[in-house]
């Protein structure tokens, strides 16, 4: 019953319910009674495990905990302790403005989702918009829905027509749908951008925010449009704004400043050498690498002990192996002839004008890259007209040619750029067609020794138990590789390809189908052939654990993005294997590997994070390599030393610029280290959360104990993981599990996989309280225990008499539920919430003369074991006497409730300590009568029956 109730109208909301669940009841027309559980019955006797089972089931089932984090009880993900830091920072701000820049794979999506769920639960925000690339929209939708219970509508170019047909006259779709996920490519159009700004939600998350800012130097038109949009969104000072990116710097100080300016205008002007300015920035900026959070809340963090320590199982390292191949004589001859043709065109175009020179240049690069990629990509490039050939000017030729032939790390050019580029210009069709025919004839392992090398290395990975992803630059190459691998890697190996020909949703579906087809057979292997449409944002760590770079990227950041799809939290393998294939005689791969890829790896190893390659210097190196190859073909008998010196000179410039960028990153990591929230503060809140909602080991013990006791068949699968066949469990439990694991899985007897990590694949169960399967099991145990009658087997009993060596005098343990009214002020006014908490209280002696024990002593009784038998008749008589006298404990239960009330009030104030406006008006009031849900009597072992 909510506080705004009156005698003639009661305002009710279920525990854990939302505002939509509020109902009004009129006592004049309906009979209204107090909702109380029936008292425990002395005949409802169980054993020594029942108190722990019932308490665990009750705490796991909480969806409206009384602690300061309102959303944690209701979401379906258990955050790591380090992921609470951004949330705690956010709750200290009246209007939340955050730049979350944790390293790849740490969990920035979860951190942003936690803040969003909390602001919505508290009423500080009413509507949410996520701005992201269209390729990641479905993944964001799935994450918000399954982990945070937020149903968001997709606003994409492919969905907007359908959404607009359902609008009322003059209504904006951003008003119609309170929570939306919006494609940044779609929203940049003038019509939709203006509508979005006018009706923008009060909470906005921007994914890959570094692609939405403009630097002071050359900036893509797409970045500029996004930046203008975000400037208008951020201009509303009352709007919550979360910017999410693993690469806030990207090597450009001006872009980083502009990013900070979106958070708060004054941050764009901070002097980072001043301690006061760094403290200001620290309130809004969090940036950590894996080494910072791999072990958290330990003595090394300044805590007194390791009782709350949390280890996060990131893969310990990437194992790199560079494998070479040589061209077959026929392939070598084709490449030489193609290079000779390209060199001729570049030389001839140089005499005709700048436009023609740039068109010939991009055509040459397209030809070289596709030939090195695969015979099929080469044939398609040779038969396709160059996009740059349509340009009217040299600048336009660069704009058209660079994206298709380069490897920009900017996500706005990722989608649709895995198509093979064209090389045909002017009147060269006949000559190129002849080269294309020769390329097609080279397909297969006999002439394509790169493909033969891939087969050899994949067989080795498969034999070692790995499930690899093979990344290709172009769609024709990926399709060619998948076609020629099919049936070559063993009967139990399933090979599939995912390219840009599929929509983002179809890509995820194809991956799920691959995993399902491979099945759970330990000998089965999954091999995915993919283009870079999967190199950013998509989480693949549950199905794959090795990466093969079939085609070298000319930007090493792309390699890091590919590897980051599997090297992240939730990866089962401790070491992710990375194989890079390169040709040692094609003139390109060796230099790219030496100058770019290996240098990038070394910086990452030294710093623990990746540093983006300086764009201009990197392009200078690759351009010099291409020039050397083309000019060598035109001057076969001349000394190429000068050209090699030019490559070395540009490589030296690149290394110098890159080392400077790495040093700036090292310095910034030190200056921007997260210091606004001390680990002791996090530890205090983590301890409070675990005391209220349960600890990880409690959940694991509950599931391991409950399912076998309900006739589930449990089989160990190593490292604490296990599977359970639930076909023999009671019908009520199977009905409860069917909606969350699938009715087919329950009835077909397919074992359910339970894992100790919170990062699980689809169909697996995380052993955390918020997992839907764990919640369904807890609900079943709790409901059957509290029912007065029923045909279902009741696993947990509400009473027990246990003889044990753990006590020396009669000791009674009570499981008590308290309820609280919370008044939480926010920007939109006060919010009234009803919450609950469960506690164990214990006393020695009779209830009328109780000697109360500490909380730690009461909790210890749950672990007590029965050391002697108890006669049932004696147990029922003993239990009846204790239950009859429990009324005498009501005063102490009331005092204890007041103590909880004060603790909770202080906890809420502490979390919001930095925002006085939010703290004023905050209140916690305990409901007068507590519910005794269970009573368990412990007697010294060996006593008379």
């Amino acid at each position: 019953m909510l506080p705004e109730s009156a005698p003639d109208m009661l305002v009710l909301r279920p525990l854990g319910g939302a505002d939509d669940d509020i109902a009004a009841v009129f006592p004049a027309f309906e009979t209204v009674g107090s909702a109380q559980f029936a008292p425990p019955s002395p005949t409802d006797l169980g054993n020594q495990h029942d108190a722990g089972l019932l308490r665990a089931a009750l705490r796991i089932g909480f969806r409206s905990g009384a602690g300061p984090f309102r959303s944690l009880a209701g979401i379906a993900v258990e955050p790591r302790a380090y992921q609470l830091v951004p949330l705690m920072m956010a709750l200290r701000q009246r209007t939340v403005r955050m730049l979350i820049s944790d390293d790849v794979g740490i969990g920035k999506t979860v951190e942003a989702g936690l803040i969003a769920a909390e602001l919505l639960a508290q009423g500080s925000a009413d509507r949410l918009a996520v701005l992201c690339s269209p390729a990641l929209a479905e993944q964001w939708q799935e994450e918000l829905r399954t982990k945070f219970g937020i149903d968001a509508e997709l606003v994409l170019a492919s969905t907007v027509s359908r959404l607009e047909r359902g609008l009322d006259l003059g209504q904006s779709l951003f008003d119609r749908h309170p929570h939306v996920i919006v494609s940044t490519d779609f929203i940049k159009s003038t019509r939709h951008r203006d509508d979005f700004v006018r009706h923008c939600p009060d909470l906005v998350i921007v994914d890959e925010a570094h692609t939405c800012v403009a630097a002071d130097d050359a900036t893509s038109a797409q970045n500029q449009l996004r930046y203008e949009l975000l400037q208008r969104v951020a201009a509303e000072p009352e709007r919550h704004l979360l910017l999410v990116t693993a690469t806030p710097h990207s090597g450009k100080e001006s872009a980083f400043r502009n990013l900070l300016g979106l958070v708060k205008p004054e941050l764009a002007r901070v002097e980072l050498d001043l301690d006061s300015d760094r403290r200001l920035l620290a309130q809004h900026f969090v940036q950590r690498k894996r080494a910072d959070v791999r072990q958290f809340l330990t003595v090394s963090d300044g805590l007194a002990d390791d009782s709350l320590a949390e280890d996060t199982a990131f893969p310990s390292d990437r194992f790199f192996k560079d494998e070479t191949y040589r061209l077959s004589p026929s392939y070598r001859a084709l490449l030489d002839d193609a290079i000779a043709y390209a060199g001729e065109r570049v030389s001839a175009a140089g005499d005709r004008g700048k436009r023609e020179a740039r068109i010939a240049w991009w055509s040459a690069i397209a030809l070289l890259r596709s030939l090195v990629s695969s015979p099929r990509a080469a044939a398609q490039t040779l038969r396709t007209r160059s996009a740059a050939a349509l340009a009217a000017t040299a600048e336009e030729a660069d704009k058209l040619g660079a994206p298709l032939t380069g490897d920009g790390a900017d996500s706005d050019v990722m989608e649709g750029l895995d198509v093979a580029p064209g090389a045909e210009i002017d009147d060269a069709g006949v000559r190129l067609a002849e080269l294309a025919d020769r390329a097609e004839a080279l397909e297969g392992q006999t002439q394509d020794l790169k493909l033969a090398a891939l087969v050899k290395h994949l067989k080795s990975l498969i034999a070692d138990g790995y499930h690899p992803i093979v990344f290709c630059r172009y769609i024709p190459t990926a399709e060619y590789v998948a076609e020629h691998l099919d049936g070559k890697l063993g009967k139990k190996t399933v090979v599939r390809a995912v390219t840009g020909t599929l929509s983002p949703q179809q890509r995820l579906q194809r991956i799920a189908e691959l995993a399902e087809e491979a099945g759970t057979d330990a000998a089965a292997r999954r091999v995915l052939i993919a283009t870079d449409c999967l190199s950013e944002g998509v989480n693949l760590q549950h199905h794959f654990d090795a990466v093969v770079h079939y085609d070298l990227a000319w930007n090493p950041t792309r390699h890091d993005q590919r590897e980051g799809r599997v090297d992240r939290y939730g990866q089962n393998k401790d070491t992710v294997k990375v194989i890079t294939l390169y040709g040692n005689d094609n003139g390109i791969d060796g230099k790219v590997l030496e100058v770019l890829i290996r240098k990038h790896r070394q910086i990452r190893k030294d710093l623990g994070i990746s540093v983006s390659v300086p764009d201009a210097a990197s392009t200078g190196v690759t351009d010099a390599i291409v020039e050397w190859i083309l000019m060598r073909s035109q001057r076969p008998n001349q000394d190429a030393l000068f050209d090699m010196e030019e490559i070395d000179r540009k490589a030296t410039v690149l290394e110098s610029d890159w080392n400077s960028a790495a040093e700036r990153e090292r310095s910034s990591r030190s200056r921007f280290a997260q210091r606004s929230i001390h680990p002791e503060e996090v530890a205090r809140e983590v301890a409070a959360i675990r005391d209220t909602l349960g600890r990880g080991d409690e959940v694991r013990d509950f599931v391991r104990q409950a399912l076998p006791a309900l006739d589930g068949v449990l089989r160990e699968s190593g490292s604490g993981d296990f599977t359970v066949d639930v076909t023999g469990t009671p019908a009520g439990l199977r009905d409860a599990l069917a909606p969350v694991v699938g009715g087919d899985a329950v009835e077909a007897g397919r074992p359910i996989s339970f894992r100790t990590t919170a990062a699980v694949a689809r169909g697996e169960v995380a052993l955390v309280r918020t997992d839907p399967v764990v919640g369904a099991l807890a609900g079943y145990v709790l409901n059957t225990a509290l029912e007065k009658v029923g045909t279902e087997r009741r696993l947990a009993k509400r009473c027990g008499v246990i003889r044990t060596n753990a006590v020396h005098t009669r000791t009674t343990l009570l499981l008590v539920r308290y309820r609280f009214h919370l008044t939480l002020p926010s920007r939109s006014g006060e919010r009234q919430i009803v919450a609950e908490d469960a506690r164990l209280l214990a006393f020695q002696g009779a209830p009328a003369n109780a000697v109360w024990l500490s909380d730690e002593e009461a909790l210890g009784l749950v672990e007590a074991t029965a050391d002697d038998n108890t006669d049932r008749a004696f147990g029922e008589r003993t239990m009846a006497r204790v239950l009859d006298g429990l009324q005498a404990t009501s005063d102490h239960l009331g005092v204890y409730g007041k103590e909880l009330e004060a603790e909770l009030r202080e906890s809420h104030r502490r979390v919001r300590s930095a925002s006085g406006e939010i703290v004023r008006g905050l209140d916690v009031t305990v409901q007068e009568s507590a519910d005794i849900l269970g009573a368990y009597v412990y007697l010294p072992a060996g006593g008379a029956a």
Side-chain angles (χ1 to χ4, degrees):
M1 186 170 70
L2 296 179
E4 56 262 38
S5 298
D8 58 343
M9 185 184 75
L10 306 182
V11 182
L12 309 177
R13 178 171 54 201
L15 281 173
D19 285 344
D20 291 342
D21 301 316
I22 293 176
V25 175
F26 298 92
F29 304 105
E30 301 178 68
T31 302
V32 179
S34 175
Q36 292 183 333
F37 293 108
S41 168
T43 61
D44 187 26
L45 292 179
N47 58 32
Q48 72 270 21
H49 300 301
D50 285 20
L53 276 173
L54 187 58
R55 173 177 179 261
L58 180 64
R59 281 148 56 97
I60 292 170
F62 280 166
R63 290 298 175 264
S64 184
F69 303 110
R70 301 298 315 133
S71 61
L72 292 190
I75 61 177
V77 60
E78 184 167 312
R80 313 298 293 169
Y82 69 80
Q83 291 175 328
L84 294 177
V85 170
L87 174 60
M88 294 175 65
M89 293 170 64
L91 291 183
R92 295 183 175 186
Q93 303 175 32
R94 180 181 180 275
T95 300
V96 178
R97 292 294 179 103
M98 294 278 297
L99 175 55
I100 301 175
S101 297
D102 285 339
D103 198 9
V104 173
I106 282 181
K108 295 181 294 297
T109 302
V110 170
E111 292 170 346
L114 283 172
I115 295 173
E118 189 66 25
L119 293 177
L120 292 170
Q122 291 185 3
S124 296
D126 297 315
R127 299 185 297 134
L128 165 68
V130 176
L131 302 183
C132 65
S133 75
L136 302 181
E138 278 93 351
Q139 182 167 298
W140 264 100
Q141 184 185 45
E142 178 79 0
E143 292 273 306
L144 290 177
R145 181 177 58 82
T146 59
K147 291 182 178 179
F148 301 101
I150 300 172
D151 286 318
E153 191 69 53
L154 292 178
V155 182
L156 312 173
S158 58
T159 66
V160 67
S161 296
R162 172 181 58 82
L163 295 175
E164 289 181 338
R165 284 196 297 270
L167 299 178
D168 297 331
L169 184 63
Q171 185 181 33
S172 167
L173 65 86
F174 301 109
D175 286 334
R176 178 66 173 267
H177 304 285
H179 308 315
V180 290
I181 297 168
V182 186
S183 161
T184 48
D185 284 344
F186 162 78
I187 205 65
K188 67 192 179 205
S189 69
T190 304
R191 173 193 165 205
H192 296 295
R193 181 180 63 205
D194 293 344
D195 183 43
F196 177 72
V197 171
R198 281 194 301 271
H199 304 277
C200 185
D202 51 0
L203 169 58
V204 175
I205 299 173
V206 183
D207 193 21
E208 301 297 342
H210 64 280
T211 69
C212 300
V213 292
D216 292 337
D217 50 4
T219 298
S220 74
Q222 308 303 328
N223 277 31
Q224 186 64 42
L225 287 173
R226 293 199 195 95
Y227 183 45
E228 291 171 359
L229 169 65
L230 286 193
Q231 283 180 307
R232 296 174 65 184
V233 169
E236 170 50 60
E238 294 292 302
R239 179 169 289 121
H240 302 296
L241 182 62
L242 305 177
L243 304 181
V244 180
T245 173
T247 54
H249 303 282
S250 299
K252 299 176 181 177
E253 181 69 16
S254 58
F256 177 55
R257 292 278 180 172
N258 289 340
L259 195 62
L260 294 179
L262 291 174
V263 178
K264 292 192 80 173
E266 57 266 35
L267 294 181
R269 302 182 296 273
V270 294
E271 293 292 337
L272 298 177
D273 293 328
L274 297 178
D275 185 62
S276 58
D277 282 14
R278 288 200 300 272
R279 284 200 301 269
L280 173 64
L281 179 60
Q283 298 174 23
H284 304 275
F285 183 35
V286 58
Q287 182 182 40
R288 298 165 295 181
K289 55 187 179 183
R290 293 186 185 186
D292 299 327
V293 299
R294 190 184 297 275
Q295 294 178 318
F296 193 52
L297 301 185
T298 64
V299 172
S300 61
D301 292 316
L303 273 64
D305 54 50
D306 290 338
S307 60
L308 294 174
E310 188 174 79
D311 291 337
T312 302
F314 298 113
S316 61
D317 202 1
R318 299 177 192 176
F319 175 78
F320 294 101
K321 193 172 184 182
D322 300 328
E323 298 286 1
T324 188
Y325 66 90
R326 295 185 66 85
L327 297 173
S328 67
S330 298
Y331 214 132
R332 173 80 259 173
L334 173 65
L335 180 61
D336 287 343
D337 290 347
I339 290 174
Y341 161 78
E344 293 171 12
R345 306 301 294 192
V346 170
S347 296
D351 299 329
R352 296 168 56 192
K354 191 173 181 181
R355 168 188 172 275
E356 288 73 12
R358 297 311 295 169
I359 292 174
W361 173 256
W362 294 119
S363 175
I365 291 180
L367 185 55
L368 288 174
R369 297 209 66 183
S370 60
L371 273 163
V372 171
S373 180
S374 71
R376 190 170 297 180
Q380 184 163 324
T381 293
L382 288 161
R383 289 196 171 101
T384 304
R385 185 165 178 79
S386 170
L390 303 174
T393 64
E395 291 74 17
E396 187 179 354
D398 289 344
K399 192 172 295 185
L400 293 172
L404 287 172
T405 54
D407 290 312
D410 190 348
S411 65
D412 75 321
V413 297
M414 295 287 287
E415 197 66 23
L417 292 184
D418 50 0
V419 297
E424 183 182 346
I425 55 177
D426 298 334
D427 55 353
V430 175
R431 188 172 176 185
L432 292 184
E434 184 268 332
L435 292 174
D437 292 340
R438 290 170 60 186
E440 287 179 340
L442 297 175
E443 289 196 5
Q445 294 186 54
T446 302
Q447 296 295 334
D448 185 3
L449 300 185
K450 179 182 180 183
L451 177 64
L454 174 66
V455 172
K456 181 182 76 171
H457 296 307
L458 286 180
K459 286 182 176 179
S460 177
L461 285 172
I462 289 169
D464 290 341
Y466 281 88
H467 303 272
I469 303 177
V470 180
F471 276 105
C472 306
R473 178 62 178 86
Y474 300 117
I475 293 172
T477 299
E479 294 174 343
Y480 161 74
V481 168
E483 179 184 316
H484 283 270
L485 288 181
D486 195 23
K488 303 290 194 306
L489 302 176
K491 294 181 179 180
K492 293 190 175 182
T493 299
V494 182
V495 180
R496 292 291 180 272
V498 171
T499 70
T501 59
L502 303 175
S503 71
Q505 189 171 14
Q506 289 172 326
R507 296 167 200 168
L508 299 178
Q509 184 177 346
R510 176 74 60 86
I511 294 168
E513 290 170 354
L514 166 59
E516 186 174 350
E517 187 173 349
T520 57
D521 186 347
R525 294 291 180 268
R526 300 177 290 273
V527 177
L528 178 65
I529 316 300
T531 62
D532 286 312
C533 70
L534 287 185
S535 69
E536 193 170 47
V538 182
N539 299 330
L540 301 173
Q541 72 272 28
H542 300 304
H543 300 310
F544 305 98
D545 43 33
V547 170
V548 178
H549 299 293
Y550 190 69
D551 292 329
L552 285 184
W554 286 9
N555 186 326
T557 301
R558 183 69 60 85
H559 279 225
D560 198 49
Q561 290 170 338
R562 294 171 176 177
E563 294 155 15
R565 298 310 95 219
V566 298
D567 182 8
R568 57 198 304 114
Y569 176 53
Q571 174 58 256
N572 286 331
K573 282 280 197 299
D574 183 57
T575 299
V576 171
K577 279 195 174 182
V578 179
I579 293 178
T580 304
L581 281 179
Y582 72 100
N584 65 359
D585 61 345
N586 62 29
I588 301 174
D589 286 356
K591 277 295 180 184
V592 170
L593 182 70
E594 175 189 347
V595 177
L596 294 175
I597 307 301
R598 287 176 177 161
K599 175 66 177 177
H600 183 265
R601 291 179 193 162
Q602 187 60 48
I603 291 176
R604 183 181 181 276
K605 182 178 180 180
D606 293 343
L607 284 184
I609 50 99
S610 296
V611 177
S612 299
V613 58
D615 292 338
S618 172
T619 302
V621 171
T622 53
D623 284 355
I625 294 173
V626 173
E627 287 178 18
W628 172 69
I629 292 172
L630 297 178
M631 293 307 103
R632 186 180 60 173
S633 71
Q634 299 300 300
R635 297 177 294 162
N637 298 320
Q638 296 184 33
D639 187 2
L641 179 60
F642 173 78
D643 298 307
M644 289 302 298
E645 288 177 348
E646 180 67 9
I647 295 175
D648 292 339
R649 186 187 68 80
K650 291 188 175 182
T652 301
V653 172
L654 170 63
E655 183 170 9
S656 176
D657 289 351
W658 212 345
N659 286 336
S660 297
E663 186 56 40
R664 288 195 302 271
E665 184 69 19
R666 190 196 310 272
S667 174
S668 70
R669 289 273 168 169
S670 174
R671 288 188 295 176
F672 303 149
Q674 196 292 116
R675 295 190 180 95
S676 63
I677 303 291
H678 193 276
E680 288 182 356
E681 300 176 73
V682 182
R684 185 166 52 212
E685 303 310 329
V686 168
I689 292 168
R690 292 176 181 175
D691 285 344
T692 302
L693 301 178
R695 298 170 182 262
D697 54 356
E698 179 182 355
V699 175
R700 291 191 290 272
D701 292 346
F702 169 77
V703 174
R704 281 183 168 274
Q705 189 175 343
L707 282 174
L710 292 168
D711 295 332
V713 180
L714 187 149
R715 294 184 176 89
E716 301 290 344
S717 51
S719 302
D721 298 345
F722 56 90
T723 63
V724 179
D725 182 346
V726 298
T727 51
T729 59
L733 177 58
R734 297 199 306 273
D735 291 343
L737 293 177
V740 289
V741 299
D744 294 342
V746 172
E747 298 304 326
R750 188 163 67 240
I752 302 172
S753 177
F754 290 80
R755 298 192 56 204
T756 54
T757 176
V760 296
R762 186 187 299 271
E764 295 180 332
V765 179
L767 287 169
V768 297
R769 63 172 300 278
T770 52
D771 188 279
V773 173
V774 175
L777 175 62
Y780 174 81
V781 171
L782 179 62
N783 292 336
T784 53
L786 297 178
E787 287 175 356
K788 294 181 180 179
V789 293
T791 58
E792 292 285 342
R793 188 184 339 157
R794 299 169 64 246
L795 180 61
K797 305 296 179 64
R798 298 178 63 189
C799 294
V801 178
I802 301 103
R803 292 189 179 276
T804 176
N805 292 323
V807 299
H808 62 275
T809 187
R810 188 178 81 178
T811 305
T812 302
L813 178 68
L814 303 178
L815 176 60
V816 184
R817 186 186 72 161
Y818 287 94
R819 281 178 284 187
F820 303 87
H821 286 297
L822 306 182
T823 302
L824 301 179
S826 69
R827 300 185 316 174
S828 56
E830 289 186 350
R831 184 176 175 86
Q832 303 289 337
I833 296 173
V834 180
E836 57 187 335
D837 195 359
R839 296 289 168 144
L840 290 172
L841 288 79
F843 62 87
Q844 294 176 340
N849 302 299
V851 177
W852 292 93
L853 305 182
S854 67
D855 290 346
E856 291 74 17
E857 291 171 315
L859 184 60
L861 291 174
V862 175
E863 305 299 327
T865 58
D867 297 305
D868 208 344
N869 295 326
T870 302
D871 177 74
R872 182 169 183 84
F874 169 79
E876 290 184 5
R877 292 196 302 272
T878 301
M879 201 72 245
R881 287 196 299 271
V882 171
L883 293 175
D884 288 343
L886 284 184
Q887 183 61 35
T889 66
S890 59
D891 288 346
H892 180 81
L893 297 186
V895 171
Y896 190 87
K898 286 294 184 181
E899 293 173 356
L900 285 180
E901 173 189 291
E903 290 176 9
L904 287 169
R905 186 182 297 111
E906 174 57 29
S907 179
H908 279 270
R909 290 178 179 273
R910 183 175 63 242
V911 167
R912 295 161 177 81
S913 60
S915 178
E917 183 176 344
I918 294 178
V919 170
R920 286 192 295 273
L922 188 153
D923 198 18
V924 180
T925 305
V926 66
Q927 191 167 311
E928 291 185 3
S929 59
D931 296 315
I932 297 178
L933 301 184
Y936 306 88
V937 179
Y938 295 81
L939 300 174

